[in-house]
Amino acid sequence: AGQWGGTRAGVALRTTLSELGCLPVSAMIHIPKAQEVLNSDGNIVVASEESDEVERWQKYCSRTFSQLEWWAVAACNHRELVDPFDESPAFGKAPSQRNAP
């Protein structure tokens, strides 16, 4: 799969996640060779004290986290106006209920 295998898997999962009711954001975080970028605690590995790597990674990831936060706030605000289960109730019998009439 190589260093971009996870990226290809993430792209392929987007439709599955959407079908499950998730709202994947358009911005994705790609970290090739993550074992070289992150330590075992999940912190960014810094080559030297003068390095701006932490700031660069934070800036890179901020677009995704901003989109995720926007969707979370929007969904929370809309839920106060409309109960999603009133609009689209859960299936009560079988998966065949998904079939068009």
Side-chain angles (χ1 to χ4, degrees):
Q3 67 179 358
W4 297 106
T7 299
R8 290 191 296 273
V11 169
L13 278 172
R14 293 174 74 83
T15 54
T16 302
L17 292 170
S18 294
E19 186 63 26
L20 293 172
C22 300
L23 296 171
V25 296
S26 63
M28 296 195 312
I29 298 172
H30 307 284
I31 305 176
K33 299 182 182 180
Q35 72 278 8
E36 295 175 13
V37 176
L38 304 172
N39 66 19
S40 61
D41 294 329
N43 295 312
I44 298 167
V45 175
V46 179
S48 70
E49 290 190 23
E50 294 92 35
S51 174
D52 66 342
E53 290 178 72
V54 173
E55 184 180 320
R56 288 176 46 224
W57 278 108
Q58 287 174 338
K59 183 177 179 183
Y60 171 69
C61 296
S62 69
R63 181 172 177 245
T64 301
F65 294 132
S66 293
Q67 286 185 8
L68 183 60
E69 181 182 20
W70 187 93
W71 273 112
V73 170
C76 183
N77 290 340
H78 191 66
R79 187 177 205 154
E80 292 176 9
L81 300 174
V82 178
D83 183 347
F85 297 106
D86 285 343
E87 297 294 318
S88 179
F91 299 127
K93 296 180 183 175
S96 62
Q97 291 177 312
R98 293 187 68 145
N99 296 337

